[in-house]
Amino acid sequence: MASSRACFALLLLFCALASSCEVAFSAGYSPAPPVAAKEDFLGCLVKEIPPRLLYAKSSPAFPTVLGQTIRNSRWSSPDNVKPLYIITPTNASHIQSAVLCGRRNGVRIRVRSGGHDYEGLSYRSIQPENFAVVDLNLMRAVCVDDKAGTAWVDSGAQLGELYYAINKASKVLAFPAGVCPTIGVGGNLAGGGFGMLLRKFGIAAENVIDVKLVDANGKLLDKSSMSADHFWAVRGGGGESFGIVVSWQVKLQPVPPTVTVFKIPKTVTEGAIDIVNKWQVVAPQLPADLMIRVIAQGPKATFEALYLGTCKTLMPLMQSKLPELAMNASHCNEMSWIESVPFIHLDHKDSLEDDLLNRNNNFKPFAKYKSDYVYEPFPKTVWEQIFNTWLLKPGAGIMILDPYGAAISATPEGATPFPHRKGVLFNIQYVNYWFAPAAGAAPLSWSKDMYNYMEPYVSKNPRQAYANYRDIDLGRNEVVDDISTYTSGKVWGQKYFKNNFQRLAITKGKVDPTDYFRNEQSIPPLIQKY
């Protein structure tokens, strides 16, 4: 019998290996002589933070600590602007000290809770500047209260660690966040967060009920001590803009003891185009208990499904709604929800500890990602072009298609900063990997050309994108008089946040008017004049 309150904390290894998620709370910058800033900043830090948690650029361990959670090898090269220091806090007071020391001494702070930040802005700067990285790798405790159906989780935990801790406390509770277990909690929740439970329970951010956050003045706040707009903004508005979220209290959701998963591949010769053409209309209209996403790669579409129920009840539903897929009992894999997490991601369910608690992921390719939202079904001729031409080109990547509808689409656009709601049929993630620096020309060209080809068929005015699939091609902030301009931020910001962008900018102007927390795609402050 699980206790009503179970806390789970992994051994916090000094120089622990890879965490895994995007989060980029960028910090402010005041011009200062670089050498003086470095000396004063370090002197300030060592008064408040144990030296063993600090890594100077000159330290032999610095490259390892910096590189251990870089997931995109494009940002590992010496060409990237690197931090002066890495701070690996073990409690909130260390984070407060880092913010206060940074502000006093003209050293910006960027924060990473993992390393899945697609553009690396949580640990690199595109423009030269003095900055340090607060790496939350050592802050990853999870405390589950199964009686209340809630959990507190540190930003440095991986989603797999959160899922594992929930399962230890209860076999019938879950949390609706990302698919990949190695994604870090901080970034996933800060940007929205969705996975195989999105149609049943919406995004992760809307299931956040409290936070502990260090603001731009170094104060530790929670929901009761911050404004309603501030709390709204941190749950999906990109955490790098409004403070450093130390930990999150989340609402857990009920799942049955048995769920059903299937993966059915179909090639073009087996009718993949016709099935996907129907899927785009049917999948968003299915009952909320059923999620069927598509992985399109080469001349093949793989239909991956999670159903909150048994195979016996799933089969007639599939035969009624999507008979073209020819799903039958042989495709069913019945298991617990926790087993479905690695099964969907890694195609097996045998070793939960290895699959969900592994922080030593050595898969660090060079990569480029882009995203789109679709409101109108594609003509069949577009699917024919995608499968018969685009996915067969040199350097072709893959397309991950996640259907919306049900809970995620029923939530009002303004309920959270994440605005992609009513009317969305599906989201597209374009993913491209390569494994040597010189091999990037064809994949990068494909990503750009494929994105351009899709323009007539996806969302417009603005062409929308998902904030957690960060894409610097959409635009970047310009800084004037040491403040990110609203005009430059609006270019990319409305694509991620639609009409919510202005409210985010106004909130930024209230909680961080000097733009202390910032990076190339952080929310700029919009100061209202009365």
Side-chain angles (χ1 to χ4, degrees), residues 18-20 69-73 115-116 158 359 361 363-365:
S19 171
S20 62
T69 56
I70 293 178
R71 296 298 186 185
N72 189 343
S73 289
H116 275 283
Q158 294 183 164
R359 299 181 70 90
N361 186 347
F363 183 69
K364 298 182 179 183

Side-chain angles (χ1 to χ4, degrees), residues 25-358:
F25 318 94
S26 178
Y29 170 62
S30 298
V35 175
K38 286 190 287 184
E39 292 174 352
D40 293 345
F41 181 59
L42 180 59
C44 181
L45 290 176
V46 297
K47 293 176 183 177
E48 307 293 339
I49 302 174
R52 60 182 168 74
L53 302 178
L54 307 174
Y55 298 86
K57 207 169 187 176
S58 58
S59 166
F62 181 91
T64 299
V65 176
L66 178 64
Q68 65 190 5
T69 56
I70 293 178
R71 296 298 186 185
N72 189 343
S73 289
R74 291 180 70 195
W75 316 130
S76 298
S77 76
D79 297 335
N80 295 295
V81 178
K82 291 184 167 56
L84 302 172
Y85 295 94
I86 301 172
I87 303 149
T88 57
T90 58
N91 60 60
S93 70
H94 295 160
I95 298 173
Q96 292 176 275
S97 296
V99 170
L100 292 171
C101 289
R103 295 209 67 160
R104 291 169 187 162
N105 296 286
V107 177
R108 291 191 175 284
I109 292 176
R110 302 202 175 204
V111 180
R112 70 176 176 188
S113 64
H116 275 283
D117 178 357
Y118 286 169
E119 296 290 352
L121 301 183
S122 57
Y123 51 84
R124 75 175 183 116
S125 173
I126 296 175
Q127 300 297 327
E129 66 179 13
N130 289 329
F131 74 101
V133 167
V134 170
D135 190 321
L136 299 174
N137 188 46
L138 300 184
M139 297 186 67
R140 54 183 194 262
V142 184
C143 191
V144 178
D145 187 338
D146 62 321
K147 298 298 184 186
T150 62
W152 276 101
V153 54
D154 286 349
S155 279
Q158 294 183 164
L159 292 179
E161 293 166 344
L162 172 59
Y163 298 156
Y164 184 85
I166 294 169
N167 181 67
K168 282 293 184 182
S170 171
K171 306 304 180 186
V172 290
L173 289 174
F175 186 68
V179 170
C180 175
T182 59
I183 293 173
V185 166
N188 195 247
L189 273 60
F194 64 77
M196 296 300 288
L197 294 174
L198 69 86
R199 305 189 69 254
K200 182 68 173 181
F201 301 118
I203 63 171
E206 66 193 84
N207 288 278
V208 171
I209 54 180
D210 204 349
V211 297
K212 296 176 183 176
L213 173 144
V214 176
D215 74 0
N217 296 312
K219 294 181 179 179
L220 185 62
L221 306 177
D222 61 12
K223 181 181 179 180
S224 67
S225 55
M226 65 174 61
S227 70
D229 281 344
H230 197 177
F231 184 63
W232 172 84
V234 300
R235 294 174 300 131
E240 67 272 24
S241 303
F242 305 99
I244 301 172
V245 179
V246 180
S247 58
W248 311 75
Q249 187 182 35
V250 297
K251 177 175 62 176
L252 307 181
Q253 298 290 357
V255 290
T258 300
V259 304
T260 304
V261 179
F262 68 71
K263 294 187 177 185
I264 302 177
K266 293 289 184 179
T267 64
V268 169
T269 56
E270 293 171 327
I273 292 172
D274 286 329
I275 300 171
V276 174
N277 192 47
K278 184 171 181 180
W279 166 91
Q280 68 181 330
V281 177
V282 170
Q285 298 177 352
L286 290 170
D289 287 340
L290 178 57
M291 165 78 171
I292 307 175
R293 70 173 187 166
V294 176
I295 312 296
Q297 183 173 18
K300 182 175 71 173
T302 300
F303 297 82
E304 298 186 346
L306 172 65
Y307 176 62
L308 300 179
T310 64
C311 182
K312 183 179 179 180
T313 54
L314 174 60
M315 281 199 302
L317 177 61
M318 290 299 300
Q319 289 161 4
S320 168
K321 300 297 185 181
L322 197 61
E324 295 83 354
L325 191 56
M327 180 264 180
N328 59 57
S330 70
H331 297 121
C332 289
N333 297 275
E334 292 188 336
M335 61 189 72
S336 64
W337 168 76
I338 194 65
E339 290 173 323
S340 77
V341 175
F343 186 89
I344 289 168
H345 180 60
L346 300 170
D347 209 25
H348 58 80
K349 60 174 182 175
D350 299 325
S351 54
L352 288 178
E353 287 81 3
D354 290 344
D355 292 338
L356 300 181
L357 305 183
N358 177 27

Side-chain angles (χ1 to χ4, degrees), residues 345-398:
H345 180 60
L346 300 170
D347 209 25
H348 58 80
K349 60 174 182 175
D350 299 325
S351 54
L352 288 178
E353 287 81 3
D354 290 344
D355 292 338
L356 300 181
L357 305 183
N358 177 27
R359 299 181 70 90
N360 301 325
N361 186 347
N362 293 318
F363 183 69
K364 298 182 179 183
F366 298 80
K368 178 60 184 175
Y369 309 84
K370 301 182 81 67
S371 63
D372 264 319
Y373 280 90
V374 179
Y375 286 76
E376 298 291 337
F378 292 170
K380 183 181 175 182
T381 53
V382 172
W383 292 117
E384 290 171 343
Q385 284 293 309
I386 288 172
F387 282 99
N388 292 329
T389 302
W390 283 100
L391 292 176
L392 302 180
K393 285 179 177 285
I398 68 174

